[in-house]
């Protein structure tokens, strides 16, 4: 591992994302010893004119998760590593100052190899990405005489459609090379998402079954039991497809559907993901159901006539030898009856059903990403007892039970560590992003033009009934407990 000075610069340090996700993730890495205090310096940068201590006290509440003296001491020590610099996102002054501050720390470690490692985390609205990139390029790059690197971590939304995303990619691409750009999709940092390749390619069980001959349909589902609270302004501009489906769920689809990569090298994995995306057929209007929860427009930051979907079910069809004819049903919604994200792989029925058990349901393999990570297989067994009858039961691997005492890392924590280590496997490559936008842009444009309208649904419901009808039409057979 490299040594020397490592600077983590959180841009947009006083914003919500930084406070709720970025700083806590950095703190957890610190607690686990991944960020040695004699090497690491953390900088917050934003427009607000506040002192170091003010920033520290704003973040503090998000770090403290128990009241023990040793934990509180850790929090205080960590906060002392944070320095705040204020400045605008498009003027030289702030960035020159930031560079000076970083350099001060680097000099003290300059005898070490790789003493100018600079990681810029963009907890910012994408509208300022181009100017911030220009400023970093001009004033804040790592000092080559000290050795090291400069990397940038950018958050979605990367554009609003194919053209705007490509424009943003080109603007950033003129200033940074692809190996320096980490496009984060935090779903790729979730434990069970990271498990997908292992599951598929290290288990003989799945190899012969994972195809159109055996699988009837695949569902990738995201539900939240709360609305857009406090984020109405942002959300209304983007909607559920851009917020969840085009990125998080599509990334999961890639890992479920891709072919085996040549190796685990990031480029090999991403090559296979791109192929899947490029094989997706144009979305048909009749395979889309949009919804909007009642009460969404009561948010003062949402326009009264908003046409933005807060729920969508979209069927994607992959045109290749493995998946022809298998619907991939992507479903996401806010203000529903539960908070859950899961993948449901439903198998075809057994030909020649001598037990007459078809009505009890099909084999189904469920991977629950959250909450309570688990994988379970629904299968038919003999009902215990004297009678020869059958019931549906489950082979269940619940992480909480099986791996007691193991803490599952937060997605952001893992991904920030990857950026420090220079591993791009779990980040989205430029061509991958482009292919993802190609799939959804025509549909998004139709919605933006008001040609497709969301169906109202009640807060706390399953979403519009039309979505369940679409599922049934696609071949999904409801099983017990779903
Ligand atoms: C974010 C979306 O990317 O993911 C939010 O912008 C959503 O709208 C969040 O709430 C969900 O993340 P998680 O990890 O809680 O499922």
């Amino acid at each position: 591992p490299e040594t020397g000075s490592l600077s983590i610069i959180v841009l947009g340090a006083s914003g919500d994302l930084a406070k709720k996700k970025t700083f806590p993730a950095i703190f957890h890495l610190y607690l686990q010893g991944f960020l040695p205090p004699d090497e690491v310096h953390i900088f917050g940068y934003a427009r607000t004119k506040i002192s170091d201590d003010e920033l520290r006290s704003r973040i503090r509440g998000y770090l403290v998760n128990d009241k023990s003296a040793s934990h509180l001491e850790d929090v205080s020590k960590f906060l002392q590593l944070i320095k705040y610099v204020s400045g605008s996102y498009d003027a030289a002054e702030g960035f020159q100052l930031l560079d000076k501050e970083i350099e001060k720390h680097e000099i003290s470690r300059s005898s070490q190899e790789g003493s100018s490692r600079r990681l810029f985390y963009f907890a910012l609205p994408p509208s300022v990405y181009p100017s911030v990139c220009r400023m970093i390029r001009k004033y804040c790059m790592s000092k080559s005489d000290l050795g090291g690197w400069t990397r940038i971590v950018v958050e979605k939304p990367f554009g609003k459609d194919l053209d705007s995303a490509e424009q943003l990619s080109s603007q950033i691409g003129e200033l940074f090379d692809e190996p320096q750009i980490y496009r984060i999709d935090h779903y790729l940092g979730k434990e069970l998402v990271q498990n997908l390749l292992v599951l598929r390619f290290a288990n003989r069980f799945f190899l012969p079954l994972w195809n159109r001959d055996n699988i009837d349909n695949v569902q990738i589902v995201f539900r939240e039991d709360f609305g857009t609270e406090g984020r109405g302004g942002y959300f209304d501009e983007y909607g559920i497809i851009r917020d969840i489906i085009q990125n998080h769920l599509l990334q999961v689809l890639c890992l479920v559907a891709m072919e085996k990569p040549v190796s685990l090298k990031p480029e090999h994995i991403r090559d296979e993901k791109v192929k899947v995306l490029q094989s997706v057929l144009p979305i048909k209007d009749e395979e889309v159901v949009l919804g909007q929860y009642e009460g969404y427009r009561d948010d003062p930051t949402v326009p009264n006539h908003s046409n933005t979907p807060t729920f969508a079910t979209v069927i994607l069809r992959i045109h290749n030898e493995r998946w022809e004819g298998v619907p991939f049903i992507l479903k996401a919604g806010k203000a529903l009856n539960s908070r859950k994200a899961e993948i449901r792989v439903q198998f075809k029925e057994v030909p020649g059903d001598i037990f007459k058990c078809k009505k009890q349901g099909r084999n189904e393999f469920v991977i629950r990403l959250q909450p309570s990570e688990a994988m379970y297989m629904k299968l038919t067994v003999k009902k215990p007892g004297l009678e020869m009858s059958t019931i549906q039961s489950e082979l269940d691997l619940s992480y909480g039970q099986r791996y007691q005492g193991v803490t599952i890392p937060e997605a952001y924590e893992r991904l920030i560590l990857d950026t420090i280590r220079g591993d791009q496997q779990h980040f989205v490559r430029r061509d991958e992003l482009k292919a993802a936008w190609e799939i959804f842009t025509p549909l998004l444009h139709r919605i933006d033009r008001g040609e497709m309208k969301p169906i109202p649904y009640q807060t706390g419901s399953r979403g519009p009934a039309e979505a369940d009808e679409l599922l049934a039409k696609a071949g999904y057979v409801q099983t017990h407990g779903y």
Side-chain angles (χ1 to χ4, degrees):
E2 296 159 310
T3 53
S5 167
L6 170 65
S7 302
I8 303 177
I9 304 104
V10 181
L11 302 153
S14 53
D16 244 30
L17 176 71
K19 283 189 296 201
K20 291 187 183 154
K21 299 284 185 192
T22 322
F23 284 116
I26 299 172
F27 177 54
H28 285 134
L29 291 174
Y30 165 83
L31 282 183
Q32 293 166 79
F34 289 112
L35 305 177
D38 57 340
E39 289 178 14
V40 172
H41 303 286
I42 300 157
F43 298 88
Y45 185 94
R47 282 179 304 203
T48 331
K49 287 201 166 43
I50 50 171
S51 66
D52 292 347
D53 278 340
E54 267 173 279
L55 178 70
R56 291 170 188 152
S57 65
R58 285 186 189 192
I59 300 168
R60 197 169 187 283
Y62 294 95
L63 306 183
V64 176
N65 45 29
D66 74 64
K67 297 257 180 289
S68 69
S70 65
H71 181 69
L72 294 177
E73 199 184 319
D74 284 335
V75 171
S76 301
K77 280 191 192 150
F78 174 75
L79 287 173
Q80 286 312 310
L81 296 176
I82 304 178
K83 171 115 199 78
Y84 182 72
V85 178
S86 88
S88 80
Y89 294 123
D90 54 4
E93 233 184 355
F95 286 90
Q96 283 168 326
L97 187 63
L98 178 63
D99 183 62
K100 260 202 205 104
E101 289 295 338
I102 301 172
E103 216 175 355
K104 265 192 221 160
H105 294 284
E106 289 176 342
I107 299 294
S108 65
R109 308 285 307 173
S110 61
S111 56
Q112 306 273 346
E113 187 54 29
S115 277
S116 185
R117 292 178 287 158
R118 298 184 175 193
L119 180 67
F120 290 88
Y121 195 104
F122 287 39
L124 293 169
S127 52
V128 299
Y129 286 3
S131 73
V132 170
C133 285
R134 270 196 303 278
M135 292 295 127
I136 295 175
R137 185 80 234 177
K138 214 159 164 192
Y139 302 109
C140 294
M141 295 299 280
S142 83
K143 302 292 169 258
S144 51
D145 50 332
L146 299 183
W149 42 253
T150 305
R151 293 177 188 147
I152 62 169
V153 183
V154 285
E155 276 277 350
K156 67 149 221 266
F158 311 111
K160 285 194 78 178
D161 60 6
L162 181 59
D163 286 348
S164 52
E166 274 295 283
Q167 197 188 346
L168 188 61
S169 291
S170 314
Q171 285 169 328
I172 299 178
E174 278 164 21
L175 299 161
F176 291 95
D177 298 331
E178 190 62 27
Q180 297 177 300
I181 307 171
Y182 288 71
R183 294 179 198 85
I184 206 166
D185 181 314
H186 79 282
Y187 265 60
L188 292 176
K190 291 193 187 273
E191 182 66 37
L192 262 61
V193 175
Q194 297 212 332
N195 188 41
L196 283 168
L197 291 194
V198 181
L199 201 65
R200 287 193 50 205
F201 300 120
N203 289 294
R204 189 72 198 214
F205 279 141
F206 296 114
L207 293 178
L209 296 182
W210 212 258
N211 55 43
R212 63 191 299 266
D213 299 332
N214 299 289
I215 291 176
D216 189 89
N217 60 76
V218 178
Q219 260 192 85
I220 303 172
V221 185
F222 166 97
R223 302 159 190 260
E224 265 177 352
D225 55 0
F226 48 90
T228 55
E229 287 126 45
R231 298 169 76 223
Y234 150 80
F235 191 88
D236 199 68
E237 218 186 297
Y238 289 91
I240 198 78
I241 297 178
R242 292 183 178 97
D243 191 47
I244 304 286
I245 299 183
Q246 182 268 356
N247 34 72
H248 303 328
L249 300 195
L250 196 57
Q251 284 295 324
V252 172
L253 175 143
C254 285
L255 297 169
V256 171
M258 68 188 249
E259 297 300 315
K260 191 194 248 179
V262 176
S263 78
L264 290 179
K265 287 203 182 106
E267 293 326 314
H268 288 156
I269 292 174
R270 300 193 296 177
D271 286 347
E272 293 305 331
K273 286 166 73 188
V274 172
K275 283 189 212 158
V276 174
L277 295 172
Q278 290 173 339
S279 310
V280 173
L281 294 173
I283 298 168
K284 294 192 185 129
D285 284 0
E286 62 274 21
E287 297 202 316
V288 176
V289 172
L290 305 175
Q292 188 186 77
Y293 68 84
E294 288 167 355
Y296 170 68
R297 299 179 194 179
D298 296 345
D299 181 331
T301 56
V302 171
N304 291 337
H305 54 274
S306 169
N307 194 38
T308 300
T310 59
F311 173 100
T313 297
V314 180
I315 298 182
L316 297 188
R317 301 198 175 259
I318 302 169
H319 184 57
N320 68 15
E321 207 172 313
R322 186 185 289 275
W323 296 118
E324 183 81 56
V326 180
F328 280 75
I329 305 158
L330 307 190
K331 180 158 120 185
K334 299 242 170 208
L336 296 178
N337 53 349
S338 60
R339 174 172 181 261
K340 206 184 247 186
E342 60 185 12
I343 305 163
R344 304 185 79 95
V345 180
Q346 191 166 75
F347 288 84
K348 289 184 192 286
E349 273 135 23
V350 173
D353 174 21
I354 55 171
F355 297 103
K356 310 227 173 339
C357 60
K358 192 171 146 183
K359 63 177 179 319
Q360 284 169 356
R362 295 168 163 179
N363 286 157
E364 195 166 355
F365 179 43
V366 183
I367 301 165
R368 189 163 67 228
L369 311 180
Q370 65 193 34
S372 315
E373 292 85 350
M375 290 186 268
Y376 55 94
M377 274 174 175
K378 286 180 175 270
L379 71 182
T380 302
V381 297
K382 178 185 166 299
K383 186 173 181 185
L386 289 174
E387 302 298 325
M388 175 44 94
S389 58
T390 59
I391 49 165
Q392 261 230 335
S393 197
E394 285 162 11
L395 277 177
D396 186 352
L397 172 57
S398 290
Y399 274 43
Q401 276 172 13
R402 183 61 63 93
Y403 303 114
Q404 280 179 25
V406 177
T407 313
I408 295 182
E410 270 287 312
Y412 276 100
E413 191 180 323
R414 202 187 307 252
L415 295 174
I416 292 174
L417 186 60
D418 282 348
T419 59
I420 296 170
R421 290 175 167 165
D423 182 352
Q424 289 192 308
Q425 175 179 332
H426 304 294
F427 293 83
V428 181
R429 204 166 64 185
R430 180 173 172 174
D431 54 346
E432 210 178 330
L433 178 67
K434 178 168 184 251
W437 278 118
E438 270 164 355
I439 295 171
F440 284 101
T441 295
L443 171 63
L444 288 165
H445 282 172
R446 293 209 55 193
I447 299 171
D448 293 346
R449 288 195 299 263
E451 290 165 18
M452 292 177 87
K453 299 258 181 235
I455 302 163
Y457 62 94
Q458 268 184 357
T459 299
S461 69
R462 287 174 53 83
E466 286 82 346
D468 282 337
E469 287 158 22
L470 178 61
L471 239 72
K473 232 164 81 193
Y476 183 75
V477 176
Q478 196 101 344
T479 55
H480 181 68
Y482 176 56

